[in-house]
Amino acid sequence: YGWLGLCGNILLGDLRIMFRQVAKPNPKKQRVAGSFSMPAPTGGWNGRDSLASMPPNDAVLLENMIPDTDRVRLRKGYRIHTSGPNGAVETLAEWSGPTGANQLFAACASSNSVFNVSSATATSAIAGSGLSNARWQHVMFGTGGLNYLVMCNGEDAVQNYNGTTWTEPVITGSGLTSSKLVHVTENKERLFFTESSSTSVWYLGTNAIAGAASEFDYGPLMSLGGYVQACATWTLDGGNGLDDYFTVMTSRGEVIVYQGTNPAAASTWGLVGVFRIGAPIGRRCFFNIGADLIVMTDDGFVPLSRALLTGRTATYEAISDKIRQPTRELIESHKSKFGWQPILYPKRGLGIFNVPIDEGTDFEGIQLVINTINRSWCQFNDVDALCWSLYGDNLYFGDKNGNVMHFDSTMTDNGANIVGTGKPAFSNMGIPAHLKKFHHARLHIATLRAVTPAVDILVDYEEKVPTAVPTVSASPLWDETFWDVSLWASEEPEVTTQWFAVTGIGFMGTVHMRLEVNAAVVEWIQTDFLFEKGEFI
């Protein structure tokens, strides 16, 4: 046994030495897994840059998802505020008085009637008998201690409302038919009216809401022809001082700018200049924001302060430049349809540009939406708005079915699910020119409910339609149901992370995320990727 024991010890020693040796590297077994994280696309929708050069925090697609400074939020929905008016709601107008509650009015197409829709029950304000259309332009004007809502539509008598009574003011002028007044604005304590299919603008006396109107014909300054489409006050200093200009926008895209207080005298009414912009779209083609005027034109949505400096030669000055291509396509296809209207929603810091993409009983609309804080864009779907108005600080729209909807007031679209879609810019995951096999993607989402989005991987700039289907959460919010019946969701959004198995091979990658939720707050914060790293090719 001595000899066998010695052999055994030698054998065990060799084994110990073998196991103590450091393993030599094996190139064929090197770790190839990789990971990458990117923030949610807070830069917003980019419809201008090529897919290869798009900034990493931008999005190829962003629908019903609002890009904010730190995350992307699913938009809120709407509910019926008032139902019952007869026909499609084509005008919403707010009256705001010096005292008492504000009032909201809706003009409807079938009867051409105007209804008071301040509450859930609509009441008749102006009977439709004898009225020709429901597309009114309007302005608030204060005089004599009263505030008036002044409305005109180019076919019917001008209407004034003082908080209690509607009246038809007697407006006279040599050659004037007052029912042809189609657009109204206020400048320097005067009302200015645009005449339908005319180069003339009519103005009343200081602080007057009726009486003799004087004509100012801008035709001699309109070298491109056409007619006056709309008038507006452009306030460079943001106040009501010497920097206030009166702007006349023509149907051919000329902007005629005057400064002064009284058009009756050259000493008090002077021409500043005539400038070129794209032709304005519709009568409701602008809104004021700060010290500027944003105009919807053939060239996009342009701030007047920049457009007058560069004309039509620098379309990058348009605030819509980042969504230049889709905006142009929408304008070319749908410019003639009724429903174009921009509106500023200060409560949420949004500029909303309403775009009609179908008409009549099949009316359908979308909205191009800019976050006024970081100037990032997204698109709203499933909001078929014919017109918009603020009512106090809140936002309302009218639809084709005679409903007035309170927008941004609930977490469903009048009971229907809200669908959000996001597709961030493609990324090389920090490893350019290396092939990657994607295995998993993870979303960091803050939500009040258990939300499971659908996530698909897209590689190498492909545009395939995702096949995954999101699930809709039904978890009730706190105190919505009885005790011991179902689990309640938290009162504050909680960040959750979910891994999704994905399959894709390519050099560049991104996710196509789709949410469908009912009564849920959803905030997208970050996306992570896991992949196998291939060789340099």
Side-chain angles (χ1 to χ4, degrees):
Y1 295 106
W3 181 81
L4 290 175
L6 178 62
C7 291
N9 289 334
I10 292 172
L11 178 61
L12 290 173
D14 290 343
L15 288 173
R16 291 189 191 100
I17 293 171
M18 181 179 68
F19 281 116
R20 287 194 191 106
Q21 290 178 343
V22 178
K24 295 181 180 180
N26 185 347
K28 296 183 179 181
K29 294 183 178 180
Q30 287 184 12
R31 179 183 177 130
V32 293
S35 63
F36 189 79
S37 298
M38 63 169 62
T42 56
W45 179 25
N46 188 330
R48 174 196 61 203
D49 297 333
S50 70
L51 295 178
S53 62
M54 191 174 293
N57 65 334
D58 284 357
V60 180
L61 182 70
L62 206 56
E63 296 178 346
N64 288 336
M65 304 286 291
I66 302 172
D68 212 332
T69 54
D70 62 338
R71 59 192 64 195
V72 173
R73 293 176 167 85
L74 184 72
R75 70 160 174 83
K76 288 187 177 181
Y78 53 85
R79 59 177 177 80
I80 293 179
H81 169 70
T82 305
S83 62
N86 184 17
V89 178
E90 294 187 331
T91 301
L92 283 176
E94 179 190 30
W95 175 86
S96 178
T99 60
N102 293 6
Q103 299 177 43
L104 186 65
F105 294 91
C108 301
S110 293
S111 62
N112 293 324
S113 298
V114 178
F115 296 88
N116 188 320
V117 292
S118 303
S119 63
T121 302
T123 58
S124 178
I126 305 174
S129 177
L131 296 181
S132 301
N133 77 66
R135 300 175 182 181
W136 299 83
Q137 282 59 247
H138 51 87
V139 71
M140 284 297 303
F141 187 74
T143 183
L146 295 175
N147 285 10
Y148 290 85
L149 174 63
V150 182
M151 307 201 313
C152 56
N153 66 10
E155 294 186 80
D156 299 309
V158 176
Q159 300 287 332
N160 287 349
Y161 180 69
N162 63 6
T164 305
T165 306
W166 286 93
T167 58
E168 296 181 3
V170 177
I171 300 176
T172 61
S174 178
L176 171 64
T177 302
S178 62
S179 60
K180 291 184 178 180
L181 301 178
V182 69
H183 189 276
V184 58
T185 193
E186 180 274 338
N187 181 266
K188 298 295 184 180
E189 303 177 10
R190 294 177 184 269
L191 288 174
F192 288 77
F193 293 90
T194 300
E195 185 179 354
S196 179
S197 301
S198 170
T199 61
S200 292
V201 173
W202 297 82
Y203 60 96
L204 294 174
T206 303
N207 297 323
I209 59 168
S214 302
E215 180 183 12
F216 198 108
D217 186 3
Y218 291 91
L221 298 171
M222 296 165 56
S223 61
L224 299 179
Y227 54 86
V228 176
Q229 183 125 328
C231 298
T233 297
W234 175 29
T235 308
L236 290 182
D237 59 2
N240 188 28
L242 295 176
D243 289 330
D244 289 355
Y245 293 92
F246 182 71
T247 59
V248 176
M249 291 171 275
T250 78
S251 60
R252 296 297 303 276
E254 289 182 291
V255 177
I256 305 167
V257 180
Y258 269 81
Q259 185 179 25
T261 57
N262 185 3
S267 60
T268 56
W269 192 250
L271 177 65
V272 175
V274 180
F275 308 90
R276 287 292 312 277
I277 62 173
I281 303 174
R283 301 283 183 183
R284 305 168 183 176
C285 57
F286 64 87
F287 66 71
N288 292 90
I289 178 170
D292 216 336
L293 195 69
I294 307 297
V295 186
M296 301 173 70
T297 76
D298 284 351
D299 296 336
F301 313 145
V302 300
L304 208 56
S305 62
R306 305 302 302 170
L308 299 193
L309 295 176
T310 61
R312 304 189 67 181
T313 61
T315 57
Y316 60 82
E317 297 288 3
I319 65 169
S320 56
D321 179 61
K322 198 169 184 179
I323 54 169
R324 178 194 308 161
Q325 189 58 34
T327 301
R328 283 180 173 176
E329 291 173 359
L330 288 168
I331 292 171
E332 290 173 1
S333 300
H334 307 292
K335 178 182 177 181
S336 62
K337 296 181 175 67
F338 173 78
W340 289 85
Q341 181 189 352
I343 188 167
L344 183 65
Y345 184 27
K347 183 177 178 179
R348 298 296 182 204
L350 300 177
I352 299 174
F353 297 82
N354 201 63
V355 180
I357 57 176
D358 211 337
E359 293 183 293
T361 56
D362 297 323
F363 178 84
E364 184 179 352
I366 63 172
Q367 294 76 40
L368 306 180
V369 181
I370 185 171
N371 183 328
T372 59
I373 298 173
N374 60 6
R375 298 189 65 170
S376 55
W377 286 91
C378 65
Q379 176 177 310
F380 287 174
N381 295 337
D382 307 316
V383 183
D384 295 327
L386 275 162
C387 58
W388 293 83
S389 177
L390 291 175
Y391 180 28
D393 288 333
N394 299 316
L395 187 61
Y396 294 76
F397 70 87
D399 72 8
K400 65 182 179 182
N401 299 314
N403 298 313
V404 177
M405 298 290 188
H406 184 183
F407 186 73
D408 195 43
S409 61
T410 182
M411 293 310 302
T412 70
D413 284 347
N414 198 31
N417 298 335
I418 300 177
V419 178
T421 303
K423 179 181 173 183
F426 282 87
S427 172
N428 59 28
M429 309 291 158
I431 316 173
H434 280 260
L435 196 65
K436 305 162 190 73
K437 183 178 181 181
F438 293 92
H439 288 299
H440 290 84
R442 176 171 64 182
L443 298 187
H444 298 251
I445 291 177
T447 179
L448 287 174
R449 299 174 184 263
V451 174
T452 303
V455 176
D456 285 285
I457 194 77
L458 301 178
V459 297
D460 295 346
Y461 312 119
E462 63 183 339
E463 297 183 1
K464 70 179 183 180
V465 178
T467 57
V469 178
T471 60
V472 181
S473 171
S475 301
L477 294 175
W478 182 263
D479 211 22
E480 278 189 350
T481 59
F482 296 107
W483 285 90
D484 273 346
V485 174
S486 58
L487 294 175
W488 288 345
S490 169
E491 291 183 292
E492 296 294 332
E494 296 181 351
V495 178
T496 62
T497 58
Q498 302 178 61
W499 281 107
F500 299 88
V502 297
T503 302
I505 300 176
F507 298 96
M508 309 288 292
T510 189
V511 293
H512 191 135
M513 185 275 293
R514 186 171 182 268
L515 289 161
E516 186 170 354
V517 300
N518 192 294
V521 172
V522 179
E523 300 173 350
W524 184 10
I525 301 170
Q526 180 178 305
T527 307
D528 301 329
F529 297 86
L530 284 182
F531 52 87
E532 290 183 25
K533 184 172 58 175
E535 296 297 325
F536 177 84
I537 297 179

PDB file of all heavy atoms in Angstrom, residues 95 98 141-148 162:
ATOM      1  N   TRP A  95     -68.094  85.143 -22.607  1.00  0.00           N
ATOM      2  CA  TRP A  95     -68.331  86.503 -22.131  1.00  0.00           C
ATOM      3  C   TRP A  95     -67.771  86.604 -20.721  1.00  0.00           C
ATOM      4  O   TRP A  95     -68.020  85.751 -19.868  1.00  0.00           O
ATOM      5  CB  TRP A  95     -69.824  86.840 -22.107  1.00  0.00           C
ATOM      6  CG  TRP A  95     -70.093  88.192 -21.495  1.00  0.00           C
ATOM      7  CD1 TRP A  95     -70.081  89.387 -22.124  1.00  0.00           C
ATOM      8  CD2 TRP A  95     -70.396  88.468 -20.116  1.00  0.00           C
ATOM      9  NE1 TRP A  95     -70.348  90.410 -21.242  1.00  0.00           N
ATOM     10  CE2 TRP A  95     -70.551  89.874 -19.992  1.00  0.00           C
ATOM     11  CE3 TRP A  95     -70.543  87.678 -18.983  1.00  0.00           C
ATOM     12  CZ2 TRP A  95     -70.851  90.483 -18.782  1.00  0.00           C
ATOM     13  CZ3 TRP A  95     -70.839  88.292 -17.768  1.00  0.00           C
ATOM     14  CH2 TRP A  95     -71.000  89.682 -17.688  1.00  0.00           C
ATOM     15  N   PRO A  98     -67.259  92.518 -15.706  1.00  0.00           N
ATOM     16  CA  PRO A  98     -66.523  93.122 -14.593  1.00  0.00           C
ATOM     17  C   PRO A  98     -66.905  92.522 -13.252  1.00  0.00           C
ATOM     18  O   PRO A  98     -66.121  92.537 -12.308  1.00  0.00           O
ATOM     19  CB  PRO A  98     -66.903  94.606 -14.676  1.00  0.00           C
ATOM     20  CG  PRO A  98     -68.215  94.619 -15.408  1.00  0.00           C
ATOM     21  CD  PRO A  98     -68.181  93.468 -16.356  1.00  0.00           C
ATOM     22  N   PHE A 141     -65.129  93.594 -25.516  1.00  0.00           N
ATOM     23  CA  PHE A 141     -64.904  95.035 -25.604  1.00  0.00           C
ATOM     24  C   PHE A 141     -65.629  95.711 -24.459  1.00  0.00           C
ATOM     25  O   PHE A 141     -66.838  95.518 -24.268  1.00  0.00           O
ATOM     26  CB  PHE A 141     -65.422  95.564 -26.952  1.00  0.00           C
ATOM     27  CG  PHE A 141     -65.094  97.003 -27.212  1.00  0.00           C
ATOM     28  CD1 PHE A 141     -63.802  97.382 -27.539  1.00  0.00           C
ATOM     29  CD2 PHE A 141     -66.073  97.984 -27.144  1.00  0.00           C
ATOM     30  CE1 PHE A 141     -63.489  98.709 -27.793  1.00  0.00           C
ATOM     31  CE2 PHE A 141     -65.779  99.316 -27.395  1.00  0.00           C
ATOM     32  CZ  PHE A 141     -64.479  99.682 -27.723  1.00  0.00           C
ATOM     33  N   GLY A 142     -64.897  96.499 -23.662  1.00  0.00           N
ATOM     34  CA  GLY A 142     -65.490  97.167 -22.516  1.00  0.00           C
ATOM     35  C   GLY A 142     -65.696  98.650 -22.748  1.00  0.00           C
ATOM     36  O   GLY A 142     -64.800  99.342 -23.250  1.00  0.00           O
ATOM     37  N   THR A 143     -66.878  99.129 -22.403  1.00  0.00           N
ATOM     38  CA  THR A 143     -67.181 100.555 -22.526  1.00  0.00           C
ATOM     39  C   THR A 143     -68.377 100.890 -21.641  1.00  0.00           C
ATOM     40  O   THR A 143     -69.270 100.061 -21.434  1.00  0.00           O
ATOM     41  CB  THR A 143     -67.477 100.940 -23.984  1.00  0.00           C
ATOM     42  OG1 THR A 143     -67.697 102.353 -24.058  1.00  0.00           O
ATOM     43  CG2 THR A 143     -68.700 100.232 -24.518  1.00  0.00           C
ATOM     44  N   GLY A 144     -68.398 102.104 -21.099  1.00  0.00           N
ATOM     45  CA  GLY A 144     -69.530 102.556 -20.299  1.00  0.00           C
ATOM     46  C   GLY A 144     -69.796 101.718 -19.070  1.00  0.00           C
ATOM     47  O   GLY A 144     -70.948 101.620 -18.627  1.00  0.00           O
ATOM     48  N   GLY A 145     -68.758 101.085 -18.519  1.00  0.00           N
ATOM     49  CA  GLY A 145     -68.948 100.272 -17.330  1.00  0.00           C
ATOM     50  C   GLY A 145     -69.450  98.875 -17.602  1.00  0.00           C
ATOM     51  O   GLY A 145     -69.659  98.097 -16.661  1.00  0.00           O
ATOM     52  N   LEU A 146     -69.665  98.522 -18.876  1.00  0.00           N
ATOM     53  CA  LEU A 146     -70.137  97.198 -19.243  1.00  0.00           C
ATOM     54  C   LEU A 146     -69.125  96.523 -20.165  1.00  0.00           C
ATOM     55  O   LEU A 146     -68.402  97.191 -20.909  1.00  0.00           O
ATOM     56  CB  LEU A 146     -71.493  97.273 -19.951  1.00  0.00           C
ATOM     57  CG  LEU A 146     -72.674  97.789 -19.124  1.00  0.00           C
ATOM     58  CD1 LEU A 146     -73.907  97.920 -20.007  1.00  0.00           C
ATOM     59  CD2 LEU A 146     -72.965  96.853 -17.957  1.00  0.00           C
ATOM     60  N   ASN A 147     -69.094  95.203 -20.117  1.00  0.00           N
ATOM     61  CA  ASN A 147     -68.280  94.426 -21.045  1.00  0.00           C
ATOM     62  C   ASN A 147     -69.195  93.772 -22.075  1.00  0.00           C
ATOM     63  O   ASN A 147     -70.210  93.166 -21.713  1.00  0.00           O
ATOM     64  CB  ASN A 147     -67.485  93.345 -20.306  1.00  0.00           C
ATOM     65  CG  ASN A 147     -66.314  93.924 -19.554  1.00  0.00           C
ATOM     66  OD1 ASN A 147     -66.195  95.142 -19.420  1.00  0.00           O
ATOM     67  ND2 ASN A 147     -65.442  93.067 -19.058  1.00  0.00           N
ATOM     68  N   TYR A 148     -68.818  93.905 -23.331  1.00  0.00           N
ATOM     69  CA  TYR A 148     -69.637  93.374 -24.418  1.00  0.00           C
ATOM     70  C   TYR A 148     -68.897  92.259 -25.149  1.00  0.00           C
ATOM     71  O   TYR A 148     -67.695  92.378 -25.429  1.00  0.00           O
ATOM     72  CB  TYR A 148     -69.982  94.469 -25.424  1.00  0.00           C
ATOM     73  CG  TYR A 148     -70.947  95.512 -24.905  1.00  0.00           C
ATOM     74  CD1 TYR A 148     -70.490  96.610 -24.184  1.00  0.00           C
ATOM     75  CD2 TYR A 148     -72.320  95.392 -25.126  1.00  0.00           C
ATOM     76  CE1 TYR A 148     -71.365  97.568 -23.704  1.00  0.00           C
ATOM     77  CE2 TYR A 148     -73.205  96.350 -24.656  1.00  0.00           C
ATOM     78  CZ  TYR A 148     -72.727  97.429 -23.946  1.00  0.00           C
ATOM     79  OH  TYR A 148     -73.595  98.387 -23.467  1.00  0.00           O
ATOM     80  N   ASN A 162     -74.187  92.036 -23.400  1.00  0.00           N
ATOM     81  CA  ASN A 162     -73.650  92.809 -22.276  1.00  0.00           C
ATOM     82  C   ASN A 162     -73.697  92.070 -20.951  1.00  0.00           C
ATOM     83  O   ASN A 162     -73.517  92.671 -19.882  1.00  0.00           O
ATOM     84  CB  ASN A 162     -74.397  94.136 -22.139  1.00  0.00           C
ATOM     85  CG  ASN A 162     -75.872  93.934 -21.810  1.00  0.00           C
ATOM     86  OD1 ASN A 162     -76.340  92.819 -21.575  1.00  0.00           O
ATOM     87  ND2 ASN A 162     -76.619  95.040 -21.799  1.00  0.00           N
TER      88      ASN A 162
END
